Amino acid sequence: MAKRRSVVVLLGGALSTTLLLGGCLGNPPSRTGTGGPPSATPVANADVEVRTISLGFVPILEAAPLVIGVEKGFFASHGLEVKLAKQSSWATARDNVVLGSAGGGIDGGQWQLPMPQMISEGALTNGKKVPMTILAMLMSQGNGIAAANGVRDGNLSVDLKASSPGFFQRFNQKEGRKFRATYTFARANQDLWIRYWLAASGVNPEKDVELLTVPAPETLQGMRNGTMEAFSTGDPWPSRIVKGDVGYLAATTAQIWKVHPEEYLAVRNDWVEKHPKATVALLKGLIQAQMWLDKAENKREAAEILSSRKWFNVPVDVLEASLRGQVKLGSKGTAQNDPKMGPLYWSSDRGVISYPYRSLTLWFLVESLRWKFFPGTVDTIEEAKAINERVTREDLWREAARAVGVPERDIPTSSSRGKEVFFDGTVYDPTNPQAYLNSLQIKN
Ligand code: CA
C-alpha cells in the first residue's frame, strides 16, 4: 500500500485514480489506446540497473512522447519509472541537468539542440562540462513563427522575398525601431529557425531585426501589447496565438525544412554509462510511445492526456488540431489540414523520426558555426564533427528498436539521412558541411 501511495504522489491526476480503482499493476501497456487502464508501476522482472529516472520537460508538443510514455505505461512495461519534471524555462532545465537527480535536479530530458552538445563542452554552463548523450529525436516539425496582428498587412510568409519585399526596411522607417523577433532560448532551435527563415530571404537577423529571448507564457500578452512582432516556438503556442486572435502563423518549420530535426531526448552520459540496460528500457518505452502517437486514431486521446493541468494545461481542441496538423496559415488564415505538415513522431517520407542521425544533430553545430555562437568551442567543421560524435549515440536506439519489434527496414543502418533541402533550395550535404556554409549568403 505504501508503494501505491508513493506512485499517487508522483503522478497525481487521472492515472493515479485509475490505479486506485483498477489496480492493474504490472500489465503491459495498451497498444491500441482503447484497451484497459495503463500501469504506472514498473514491472518487477525487468533486467535494469535502476528503477527510476528523472527527466525534464517543457510543455510543448515535443514533450508528448515522454508524457505518453508515462501515462500509457510504456516506460513502466520495461521496468522504468520515468519521473517527469516540468521546467519553467530552458535555462532551468540546463541548470537542473548540471545538478543531476542526486543534487535535486534531473538526469536528462527534452532538449533543443545544440544544448546537449554545448552542455557537454561547458559552453552553456560557465565552463563546467557535463557530458551528455543524445539518444533519440522526440519530434519533427510542429514549430512555427507567429507574427502579431500589428504586422498583418506585412503578409509575412515562409518566402518573404515573394510575399513581403522591403517589409523590414519599411517597418524600421515607420516605427523608428527594428522589428522584434523573439524565442525562448538563444542559440538553439527556435533562434535557428527564425534566423534561417529571415536570412533565406536576404533579411539579416543581426542587423535588420532585433532578436530577443522571452518566456513563452509572456508571448500572448507581449504580442497583444506590441512588445514583439514575431515569436518562434513550438506548438501549442503558435496555435494559441492564432486561436486567441493575437496574431497569425507566418511560417511553419515544416515549410522551412520538411521533416527537419526538432527536439531530442538526451541524458547525462554518466547516467547512461552506469545504466545501459535502463537506457535501452527508456528508449524502448519512448519508441513505443512515438509509434502510438503516430496513429490518427490516438490523436484525440493524446490531446486529452496532454491537456491536463499536470502536463500542458491547454484546451483539448487546440492540442488535437495541432497534433493533426490542422492550422490556419498566413495573414489570411488559410486552413491547412495536412498531418504530414504537422508534428511527426514516428513515420515520415524520410523514414523513422526517432532515430538520432548524426547527420542531423551535426547540422545544429554547423549552424552554430554559421552564426559564430560558441567561439572557442565550435570554430571549425572538424570540431563540430568531433563534439557531435562524442555526444550523439545511435547503437542503443537500434538495440531498443529491435527489442520492441521494429521491422529491420525501419532501422537505419547509416549515421546519415542523406542530403537535406530547405525551402529556398539550399542543400545541406552532411558529407560536405563546408559547401553548405559556403553557399549561405548571410552569416557571421
Ligand atoms: Ca521546438
Side-chain angles (χ1 to χ4, degrees), residues 110-315:
Q110 166 198 358
W111 301 99
Q112 300 194 62
L113 263 50
M115 289 185 79
Q117 292 106 317
M118 291 300 98
I119 291 169
S120 297
E121 293 297 311
L124 285 177
T125 46
N126 294 322
K128 185 173 167 58
K129 295 185 178 187
V130 180
M132 296 192 66
T133 302
I134 294 173
L135 296 165
M137 197 203 290
L138 291 170
M139 186 188 91
S140 172
Q141 306 185 157
N143 282 241
I145 294 153
N149 279 341
V151 292
R152 197 174 279 272
D153 60 355
N155 190 32
L156 305 182
S157 77
V158 65
D159 187 356
L160 295 166
K161 235 184 238 171
S163 66
S164 323
F167 167 80
F168 293 91
Q169 289 89 328
R170 284 200 307 280
F171 182 93
N172 287 359
Q173 282 165 8
K174 193 172 145 220
E175 302 292 329
R177 63 168 176 88
K178 289 177 183 174
F179 179 98
R180 292 171 185 151
T182 66
Y183 37 71
T184 52
F185 193 75
R187 301 184 296 178
N189 294 39
Q190 263 71 53
D191 188 0
L192 294 173
W193 301 139
I194 210 158
R195 281 168 183 262
Y196 192 95
W197 172 61
L198 293 169
S201 287
V203 180
N204 189 320
E206 296 199 352
K207 294 190 177 127
D208 301 332
V209 304
E210 188 179 356
L211 297 173
L212 296 165
T213 304
V214 174
E218 288 177 19
T219 52
L220 281 175
Q221 200 53 40
M223 273 201 171
R224 248 183 227 117
N225 298 348
T227 57
M228 68 184 77
E229 280 74 43
F231 178 48
S232 166
T233 189
D235 253 332
W237 288 100
S239 298
R240 291 182 76 176
I241 286 163
V242 174
K243 189 125 180 152
D245 200 23
V246 176
Y248 63 99
L249 192 54
T252 65
T253 52
Q255 290 179 308
I256 295 171
W257 178 3
K258 226 172 162 237
V259 199
H260 66 83
E262 188 46 40
E263 288 167 23
Y264 283 76
L265 171 69
V267 173
R268 285 174 62 116
N269 188 56
D270 54 5
W271 197 96
V272 173
E273 292 292 325
K274 203 172 160 193
H275 313 116
K277 289 176 186 170
T279 305
V280 171
L282 175 67
L283 284 168
K284 287 182 194 169
L286 180 80
I287 286 169
Q288 289 177 315
Q290 289 179 301
M291 292 170 91
W292 185 90
L293 268 165
D294 198 50
K295 293 190 171 72
E297 66 266 30
N298 294 336
K299 303 282 183 192
R300 178 74 191 176
E301 186 184 346
E304 284 166 355
I305 291 170
L306 296 169
S307 169
S308 88
R309 189 199 294 262
K310 180 175 54 158
W311 302 120
F312 294 3
N313 197 21
V314 169

